[in-house]
Amino acid sequence: MRPDRTYLDWNATAPLHPAAREAMLAALDLRGNPSSPHGDGRAARALIERARERLSDVFGVASRNVYFTSGATEAANWVLHPQAGPGSKPLQALLIGATEHACIQAGHRFPAHAVSQLPVLPDGRIDLAALEARLSALTAQHGTGCAMVALQAANNETGVLQPIDEVRALLEPHGAVLVCDAVQALGRAPIPRADFLFVSAHKIGGPTGVGAVIFASEALSPPPLIAGGGQERRQRSGTENVAGISGFAAAVEAVIQSQPLSVAHAAKLRDKIERGLQEIHGETVVLASSVSRLVNTTCFAVPGMSSETALIALDLAGIAVSSGAACSSGKVASSHVLAAMQVPEALARGALRVSTGPTTQEADVETFLSAWREIIARRFQHAA
Ligand code: PLP
């Protein structure tokens, strides 16, 4: 991170963790193809398998149930398939939470008519009654084991934590398959159990362009998305990203080890941020403040302040935050997450996200708050 800038956009991409850098540098010095049977190849293979074991320990599955991908977007494209369930019977329906990340929203290899959205309550949590009603109707029509449900553990914009354990219990009698996007939860919140879990390295201090799908069991079998040389037990072809996978595993281990401390640290910073925002402008709305959220995330808006203007002003002051989902930003589009939560459009247009990480200092928060104080003063002086 450049020392002259303040980085408060960890949910978009976290800065590289020193342990990940070290592991990647060591891997980059290897020269073998992990599929080659000679010593150089075997050395590269050993790094991948060691990384797989490290992830399998963290997620409590057998290492053969960890598949490396290029990230969560690829994982969604792979797993969202009618044949992904445990039996040979194709899944008839895919239910997707209304606040899911764009990488899941399309439903991918399900036919469009089989894909539908699940509403969330105004607090951002999934509407469990609506989920139960949909599943009951589907089970009545097609029998058990006919549906897949895709729900994230934590939302990237608001930090809202979904009640995944409750959802899993609700799905069980219907034999529905649960896909959980744990990209933002990893290292920041408890990792739930699901049939498929998606994780991504760059949200936790690993490199961009690598992630994994954790299968709960070998009975699950979405058809491969990328065919070719048969790597990853024939499920995901292409020569493995050895350095990326090594950096990813090192980052996973580091964030899990430091999670109790980093969560407490983030909670302190979030309190300071949210207190400061209210002090600066009493009409500030912290979105989803009534429910369990990621401790590192504050999504807020000030009525009458556009997020585009605020983002530019903060950037000029050397501060990186986000508005809406970073994956679709560059352009500031209005947020489907806030729309699903029925946040009034005028307020949603001003929403900003501040997200911190283990190396964020109190001084970074102070820098942000003092810049924000000036921006608010300028904005509302002009209006007066
Ligand atoms: N899911 C969530 C909740 C995210 O925040 C992101 C990235 O912003 C993704 C999925 C996509 O992950 P990847 O960049 O690994 O494709």
Side-chain angles (χ1 to χ4, degrees):
M1 200 189 310
R2 279 167 48 191
D4 56 330
R5 288 189 56 88
T6 301
Y7 191 74
L8 298 173
D9 201 12
W10 288 63
N11 287 12
T13 287
L16 194 64
H17 194 288
R21 175 192 296 274
E22 198 182 312
M24 287 167 74
L25 288 174
L28 285 169
D29 280 335
L30 295 186
R31 60 190 168 188
N33 183 315
S35 296
S36 299
H38 51 59
D40 297 276
R42 289 199 310 275
R45 165 67 46 207
L47 283 191
I48 294 174
E49 296 315 321
R50 174 78 194 103
R52 203 186 308 280
E53 273 165 30
R54 288 163 108 176
L55 262 73
S56 74
D57 284 349
V58 165
F59 293 103
V61 296
S63 59
R64 62 182 175 278
N65 289 329
V66 175
Y67 292 94
F68 291 111
T69 65
S70 65
T73 301
E74 182 191 320
N77 277 268
W78 175 21
V79 166
L80 300 194
H81 189 290
Q83 294 289 357
S88 54
K89 180 176 150 185
L91 300 164
Q92 302 293 325
L94 169 62
L95 309 180
I96 302 179
T99 56
E100 295 303 296
H101 190 270
C103 79
I104 286 182
Q105 288 285 344
H108 301 302
R109 296 191 285 168
F110 273 84
H113 68 80
V115 181
S116 60
Q117 267 200 357
L118 281 170
V120 295
L121 302 170
D123 63 17
R125 284 183 305 183
I126 202 71
D127 183 339
L128 291 170
L131 172 59
E132 170 64 54
R134 293 272 191 93
L135 285 174
S136 296
L138 283 164
T139 301
Q141 193 181 352
H142 303 288
T144 55
C146 70
M148 175 182 273
V149 174
L151 269 188
Q152 61 195 182
N155 184 265
N156 45 307
E157 294 182 39
T158 58
V160 168
L161 298 172
Q162 292 296 348
I164 297 293
D165 288 345
E166 273 177 76
V167 168
R168 214 182 46 249
L170 202 150
L171 263 55
E172 205 173 9
H174 298 282
V177 174
L178 178 60
V179 175
C180 182
D181 169 352
V183 164
Q184 295 290 347
L186 184 59
R188 299 172 182 153
I191 296 295
R193 282 192 298 115
D195 294 298
F196 298 99
L197 269 188
F198 300 164
V199 285
S200 179
H202 72 108
K203 307 293 184 178
I204 57 157
T208 51
V210 60
V213 187
I214 315 300
F215 286 38
S217 91
E218 278 171 274
L220 299 160
S221 55
L225 176 69
I226 302 177
Q231 288 88 347
E232 293 294 285
R233 305 178 72 237
R234 305 206 154 273
Q235 300 307 302
R236 198 276 186 183
S237 288
T239 303
E240 298 89 337
N241 177 358
V242 183
I245 289 170
S246 301
F248 179 24
V252 170
E253 216 165 64
V255 295
I256 293 296
Q257 257 168 27
S258 63
Q259 187 166 340
L261 276 181
S262 63
V263 163
H265 175 65
K268 239 170 73 186
L269 294 180
R270 192 181 73 176
D271 282 352
K272 187 176 173 90
I273 291 167
E274 296 184 2
R275 255 199 331 271
L277 289 171
Q278 293 295 350
E279 227 173 78
I280 291 166
H281 194 88
E283 287 175 40
T284 302
V285 178
V286 174
L287 294 150
S289 60
S290 63
V291 292
S292 294
R293 287 178 290 150
L294 289 175
V295 282
N296 77 322
T297 306
T298 296
C299 183
F300 71 97
V302 169
M305 173 63 117
S306 109
S307 58
E308 198 162 4
T309 309
L311 200 70
I312 293 167
L314 285 166
D315 191 36
L316 287 173
I319 299 163
V321 300
S322 178
S323 73
C327 293
S328 60
S329 70
K331 67 178 190 316
V332 180
S334 72
S335 154
H336 74 281
V337 172
L338 301 183
M341 292 166 65
Q342 299 167 37
V343 175
E345 166 72 20
L347 190 63
R349 259 189 268 124
L352 287 179
R353 176 190 70 194
V354 174
S355 53
T356 64
T359 60
T360 306
Q361 306 288 321
E362 295 221 8
D364 296 320
V365 170
E366 280 150 19
T367 303
F368 160 70
L369 289 173
S370 87
W372 187 245
R373 188 180 296 281
E374 278 179 34
I375 291 165
I376 287 288
R378 273 204 306 274
R379 166 70 184 83
F380 291 100
Q381 261 161 28
H382 281 305

